[in-house]
Amino acid sequence: MEIKKILKEAGIQIGAGGSAGFVEVCIMHPLDLIKTRLQIQSGKPTGKVSDPNRYSGIFDCIRKMYKYEGLTSFWKGIIPPILAETPKRAVKFFTFEQYKKLFLFDSPTPTPLTFSLAGLGAGTTEAILVNPFEVVKVTLQANRATGKELPSTWAVTRAIVKEHGLGFKGLNKGVTATIARNGVFNMVYFGFYHSVKGYLPEYEDPVWEFCRKVGIGFVSGTLGSCANIPFDVAKSRIQGPQPVQGQIKYRGTLRSMGIVYREEGFRALYKGLLPKVLRLGPGGAIMLVVYDYAHHYLTTKFGD
């Protein structure tokens, strides 16, 4: 009976997590793409505002992408994250619950430390599974081709596997940076959300209760984004196109962060922070709220 209960809960989490992930990706993906474009842009600003391949900020990136690549370019690379979201969210929420039990440390109820360590564990597990999708996504997002010239997700995947294989130079390139990025984000995200949610009383009015969850989710996503952005920059540099073709400049998470810091300054480690916050602030809220309501619906319909 215990196994049946676990499997049923896992099934509910897959459905709820998949719904949350799908909605969040479709709405917020353009900001993720802009963040990646800004992060893979190495070097300091040159002042050549007319260069279609250089961006001075978010709005300059939006303007140039729309002008030179078209409206649909903002959804480049969306297939890999959509394909990854169902297992990713299922793993994230399911393993979070299991890690919570592991990190209780004999406490009768979960503590902020429990939530944070469980988030770290869930983020690490999630990162290992989704890293191949991230490699394909970043490759597609860095591509400046338009329309029919843009290669398909499957074509890019086959090309990566054919040229570099499945290892740390191929589909698992940058896996340590992805682990650091996702681990830190989820540690802050889950740690803050569940700790604060436990202190702030629930509202009987459904509108105010919705606003409470959205507000806590927004702050959780924002804090998580600010904490993990240097690892995200390193990940984008490692997985994105190298400055000189045929030469690997960015390898290793800390080494890549060191190169960015020495050559471009401290602020370069926070490239793409604004679009990341604009995405994962409301995105984090969307995901948690959709997950909560979907989980409640599925539990009511299929639970005991």
Side-chain angles (χ1 to χ4, degrees):
M1 288 298 293
E2 185 66 24
I3 294 177
K4 184 178 179 181
K5 182 179 178 181
I6 292 174
L7 290 175
K8 182 179 286 187
E9 181 62 22
I12 291 172
Q13 289 171 350
I14 287 172
S19 301
F22 180 81
V23 172
E24 191 267 344
V25 167
C26 290
I27 294 174
M28 309 306 294
H29 184 76
L31 286 168
D32 183 69
L33 187 146
I34 293 168
K35 177 212 71 174
T36 301
R37 285 287 180 95
L38 292 173
Q39 289 178 340
I40 63 176
Q41 179 174 274
S42 61
K44 295 184 178 180
T46 60
K48 295 179 180 179
V49 294
S50 60
D51 187 350
N53 297 324
R54 298 289 300 180
Y55 312 116
S56 61
I58 293 178
F59 295 108
D60 186 50
C61 183
I62 293 173
R63 182 180 63 82
K64 287 178 178 176
M65 283 187 62
Y66 179 76
K67 181 179 179 179
Y68 295 105
E69 301 175 51
L71 180 63
T72 57
S73 67
F74 292 103
W75 281 270
K76 282 181 177 179
I78 195 173
I79 298 299
I82 284 180
L83 292 176
E85 284 314 305
T86 296
K88 176 180 177 180
R89 301 310 181 197
V91 167
K92 175 184 286 197
F93 286 101
F94 180 71
T95 57
F96 175 72
E97 294 299 329
Q98 308 316 308
Y99 282 122
K100 267 201 320 186
K101 299 173 185 177
L102 180 65
F103 294 120
L104 280 172
F105 300 121
D106 297 324
S107 174
T109 57
T111 64
L113 179 62
T114 300
F115 293 130
S116 297
L117 291 177
L120 176 63
T124 300
T125 307
E126 168 195 60
I128 294 171
L129 293 179
V130 304
N131 191 69
F133 295 93
E134 289 290 321
V135 173
V136 176
K137 183 193 76 172
V138 171
T139 303
L140 281 166
Q141 289 181 335
N143 194 306
R144 300 178 188 277
T146 59
K148 295 181 180 179
E149 297 176 359
L150 184 69
S152 69
T153 300
W154 317 117
V156 169
T157 305
R158 287 196 300 269
I160 293 172
V161 173
K162 183 178 180 180
E163 186 174 354
H164 301 292
L166 302 173
F168 297 134
K169 292 183 179 180
L171 279 184
N172 276 295
K173 181 168 58 175
V175 66
T176 56
T178 304
I179 288 173
R181 183 194 72 159
N182 288 31
V184 170
F185 177 83
N186 284 288
M187 179 176 67
V188 177
Y189 182 61
F190 280 116
F192 183 87
Y193 180 77
H194 287 285
S195 299
V196 172
K197 193 174 74 167
Y199 284 110
L200 296 180
E202 295 184 17
Y203 291 98
E204 293 184 4
D205 188 311
V207 175
W208 280 106
E209 177 60 16
F210 175 81
C211 292
R212 182 183 79 102
K213 289 182 177 179
V214 168
I216 300 172
F218 179 85
V219 176
S220 301
T222 300
L223 292 176
S225 299
C226 293
N228 82 338
I229 185 70
F231 299 107
D232 200 7
V233 171
K235 170 190 165 297
S236 293
R237 292 294 177 92
I238 294 168
Q239 294 178 343
Q242 299 296 304
V244 179
Q245 190 172 2
Q247 297 181 19
I248 300 178
K249 179 177 182 179
Y250 301 104
R251 65 170 88 230
T253 307
L254 296 179
R255 183 175 183 272
S256 297
M257 290 168 63
I259 292 173
V260 172
Y261 173 75
R262 287 193 302 273
E263 295 185 354
E264 303 170 48
F266 180 76
R267 290 180 61 184
L269 290 172
Y270 290 82
K271 280 186 175 181
L273 177 60
L274 184 54
K276 183 180 176 71
V277 167
L278 290 175
R279 184 208 166 183
L280 289 176
I286 290 169
M287 189 167 58
L288 285 167
V289 171
V290 171
Y291 178 83
D292 280 349
Y293 284 109
H295 189 277
H296 176 74
Y297 172 79
L298 292 173
T299 301
T300 302
K301 192 172 182 65
F302 300 107
D304 293 330

